[in-house]
Amino acid sequence: MKSRRSTRRPSHGIHTALASLVMVAAVARGVPDAEARSARYPRAAGTVVASLTETPGEVAAGDQATVHVYGDGRVVVHKPRYTRQAGDYTLRLAPGELDALVQSLADAGILDFDEATVGRAQRAAAARGTPGGTVSFDADATTTTIELRLDRGARRVSRRGLAAEVRAYPGVTPLRNLAAARDRLRALTERPDLRRVEVTP
C-alpha cells in the first residue's frame, strides 16, 4: 500500500506569527500604520483646522483671497475686490467631506514640509539640467499660505510664486503636493452651495 503524503496546511497559529513578524518589520522600516496616517483634528466650532491665504503682489496688495475651514465643518470664504463675485461667503461641509479634506491635506505632507529639503531638491534639479532651474518672479507674484491644525501638531507653510516653482521644478514632489493642497482648498470657493454672507452696515 502506498503511503499518503501529508498535505496539511500551516496552522492558524503559524499564519498569525508570520503576520506579526511582517508588522514588526514594517515598523522597523518606519512604515506608518493606519493610526499614524490618520488625520485626527479638533472638532470645536471656533477652531480653524485648515486655511488658505493667497496674497497678491504689488499690483493688488491690500486684499487677500482666504478660505477658513473650522472643526465643525463650517467654511468661510473671502473673495477679494479685484475678483468676480467679490465678497464674503460661507458653506458647511458634511462630516465625511471634512474628514476627507483634512486627510488629503495631511497626506500632502503639510505638517512635514521642509524648506531646506525643497531647496536642496531645487538645486539638484538645476545641477542636473532638468526643466526649469531658475524661477523668475514678477511684481505680482502671489504668496500662497496654507495652515493645517491636527491633534498631533500644526504647521504654516508659505511660498511666493508657487505656480512658477511647480512649472520650473516638476520633479520636486513637496511643491507639487503643496499646489495640490492649494487646489483642494480653492475648490471650496467654487462650490454651488456657497452662499453670500450679507454684512449689515
Side-chain angles (χ1 to χ4, degrees):
M1 181 180 297
K2 295 182 179 179
S3 61
R4 294 185 177 180
R5 183 175 297 175
S6 174
T7 58
R8 287 191 307 167
R9 295 179 179 178
S11 67
H12 176 72
I14 294 176
H15 283 300
T16 302
L18 289 174
S20 298
L21 288 173
V22 171
M23 184 178 298
V24 170
V27 172
R29 294 196 308 270
V31 178
D33 57 17
E35 183 70 19
R37 291 194 304 269
S38 66
R40 296 181 178 178
Y41 56 91
R43 303 280 179 165
T47 300
V48 176
V49 296
S51 70
L52 168 67
T53 302
E54 295 188 278
T55 306
E58 298 172 2
V59 174
D63 202 4
Q64 302 169 318
T66 60
V67 178
H68 291 87
V69 182
Y70 292 82
D72 63 345
R74 183 169 59 98
V75 177
V76 176
V77 171
H78 174 71
K79 297 184 179 185
R81 63 179 181 273
Y82 55 85
T83 63
R84 181 173 57 87
Q85 298 179 331
D88 296 310
Y89 298 80
T90 188
L91 63 86
R92 185 169 294 275
L93 297 175
E97 290 180 304
L98 179 58
D99 289 346
L101 174 63
V102 174
Q103 184 68 62
S104 71
L105 298 176
D107 290 344
I110 302 300
L111 259 58
D112 304 313
F113 189 91
D114 183 69
E115 301 280 354
T117 299
V118 170
R120 286 193 295 270
Q122 289 174 316
R123 290 191 294 273
R128 291 193 302 270
T130 51
T134 59
V135 182
S136 59
F137 299 108
D138 57 33
D140 199 33
T142 295
T143 298
T144 300
T145 303
I146 296 176
E147 297 186 60
L148 179 64
R149 179 177 298 278
L150 303 180
D151 287 349
R152 61 186 175 92
R155 185 68 194 277
R156 179 178 183 269
V157 179
S158 186
R159 302 291 294 189
R160 180 169 179 246
L162 177 60
E165 284 192 306
V166 172
R167 288 193 300 270
Y169 302 103
V172 179
T173 301
L175 291 177
R176 291 203 318 270
N177 289 346
L178 190 65
R182 174 206 60 198
D183 292 344
R184 291 187 186 99
L185 289 167
R186 265 187 188 173
L188 297 174
T189 69
E190 301 298 330
R191 283 180 48 134
D193 54 342
L194 199 66
R195 58 184 179 83
R196 183 182 290 272
V197 176
E198 300 297 338
V199 179
T200 304

